[in-house]
Amino acid sequence: MSYTLVIHGGAGNITPAIMNTQQEAEYTIALKEALVKGTDVLRAGGSATDAVVAAICEMEDNPLFNAGRGSVFTKKGLNEMDAAIMDGSNIAAGAVAGVRNIKNPIKLAREVMLHSGHVLLCNEGAGEFALKQGVEMAPDEYFFNKSRYDQWVEIRDTDYTQLDHKGDNLKGGPVTPNTGHKFGTVGAVACDAMGNIAAGTSTGGMTNKRFSRIGDSPIPGAGTYANKKTCAVSCTGHGEYFLRAVVAYDVSCLMEYKGLSLQEACDVVIKDKLVKMGGEGGLIAVDALGNYNFCFNSAGMYRGMRNSEGKEIVGFYGM
Ligand code: ASP
């Protein structure tokens, strides 16, 4: 039985200079646990979609990552989360945006895909749907995280937003120095034993975001995409650029219409087109043959891969 799982925990200014040995160990454990959770599903003959959900739930439950429990704070001091899942076997998609108090937004995204008759639900409406589906909720305290809170306090009186893993504001010069942890959005892509592929992404978005800002993560084709004919992709980075570049679908299109390989398509989009636009970040991708790719134009990306051949990779820094 052949399968592959690839995950990311955010891309950005992730360098040996900002990580100490203990942080490296913490991230290694966290990424390996997510790989184990997802590949347990695949080894048991489960679907790529369920493996993606299992791996992402593990990272949503870990405050190291900007998703679920570790989500960043909005301008109003709230946690508003976005997530999406796509099943490449039938191009089904489910997504939620701006949701609050949902313990695992990726599970709610799967409910939307399977049981709502819609693709994308947002804000209170998505919360109502979560209650109807019996999706697990959590109180505000569950989402409180001191380092994320401090990150927000530093810029809450400004109009700046901040990419969790970047340390620069998105309007002008630096707001906070690039010290501290660099946490990030999470994602997973999988190829299961039946040769089906799936992709999922989950995030708290950007620190100090306002006006119900939504990034690329929950938008099918931008931050998340899966089509068995081509590839499954989950992105992380400055969402406004990934939205405009329709990054995940562009990778798929280059494979479908131009015959590029998975790696070639990822390189064109992330290392050429996105760079020319000024967009920073990366992606993970897998195709239906189990070929996989990590691709980023930032200093680093928390990432991992585990497959049925017993191969396991965990990495943070530039390749
Ligand atoms: N892409 C996410 C967003 O813009 C952020 C991230 O990947 O860290 O909401």
Side-chain angles (χ1 to χ4, degrees):
M1 183 186 298
S2 147
Y3 56 79
T4 307
L5 176 74
V6 189
I7 60 172
H8 72 74
N13 187 31
I14 301 158
T15 61
I18 65 118
M19 299 273 285
N20 60 37
T21 317
Q22 192 196 329
Q23 288 164 341
E24 285 181 346
E26 281 172 8
Y27 277 97
T28 301
I29 291 168
L31 292 167
K32 283 189 174 189
E33 279 173 356
L35 287 171
V36 167
K37 284 279 157 50
T39 48
D40 278 354
V41 172
L42 295 169
R43 200 178 47 245
S47 70
T49 302
D50 289 345
V52 162
V53 171
I56 290 182
C57 279
E58 181 68 23
M59 293 187 280
E60 286 178 336
D61 291 346
N62 188 332
L64 276 183
F65 302 104
N66 172 21
R69 185 171 199 176
S71 292
V72 296
F73 288 86
T74 67
K75 179 82 178 163
K76 292 184 177 161
L78 307 172
N79 308 104
E80 293 177 355
M81 301 166 284
D82 307 332
I85 186 140
M86 270 193 85
D87 179 346
S89 66
N90 53 2
I91 322 200
V96 292
V99 294
R100 302 199 50 223
N101 301 103
I102 305 295
K103 185 167 177 279
N104 293 109
I106 194 69
K107 284 189 180 167
L108 182 54
R110 182 172 56 184
E111 288 300 302
V112 172
M113 177 171 82
L114 297 177
H115 304 298
S116 74
H118 302 296
V119 169
L120 174 59
L121 302 182
C122 72
N123 305 346
E124 293 83 11
E128 267 173 51
F129 179 70
L131 284 176
K132 179 173 164 288
Q133 295 305 113
V135 170
E136 193 175 353
M137 312 289 279
D140 286 349
E141 307 79 77
Y142 173 80
F143 298 92
F144 184 83
N145 180 291
K146 178 87 170 77
S147 69
R148 303 246 181 269
Y149 184 79
D150 291 346
Q151 215 174 17
W152 169 63
V153 164
E154 277 191 65
I155 60 168
R156 70 178 164 190
D157 295 327
T158 72
D159 285 343
Y160 295 125
T161 50
Q162 191 175 78
L163 268 181
D164 187 48
H165 46 247
K166 197 162 182 245
D168 294 339
N169 71 70
L170 295 173
K171 278 194 150 183
V175 165
T176 53
N178 271 327
T179 52
H181 282 287
K182 305 296 166 197
F183 308 128
T185 291
V186 305
V189 295
C191 175
D192 64 27
M194 287 76 73
N196 288 329
I197 56 175
T201 312
S202 181
T203 187
M206 288 159 73
T207 298
N208 213 35
K209 66 184 180 181
R210 54 184 182 158
F211 310 129
S212 299
R213 179 266 184 192
I214 306 293
D216 59 312
S217 310
I219 308 301
T224 308
Y225 188 72
N227 178 349
K228 195 180 165 184
K229 282 201 298 196
T230 53
C231 57
V233 178
S234 169
C235 301
T236 174
H238 190 168
E240 278 65 13
Y241 290 88
F242 282 69
L243 280 164
R244 289 164 53 212
V246 203
V247 166
Y249 186 59
D250 202 18
V251 172
S252 172
C253 284
L254 286 169
M255 294 176 72
E256 183 171 2
Y257 303 132
K258 257 191 146 179
L260 266 55
S261 70
L262 185 72
Q263 168 149 10
E264 287 165 347
C266 294
D267 283 348
V268 167
V269 177
I270 296 292
K271 296 184 178 164
D272 184 29
K273 293 174 85 169
L274 206 58
V275 170
K276 284 177 182 150
M277 288 174 74
E280 189 191 336
L283 59 76
I284 51 172
V286 71
D287 68 18
L289 297 173
N291 296 311
Y292 62 90
N293 194 238
F294 308 109
C295 191
F296 50 94
N297 64 32
S298 44
M301 180 167 81
Y302 298 119
R303 60 193 184 274
M305 190 286 304
R306 199 165 188 240
N307 66 16
S308 46
E309 287 158 25
K311 187 168 177 189
E312 186 177 85
I313 300 171
V314 167
F316 315 135
Y317 310 124
M319 293 181 278

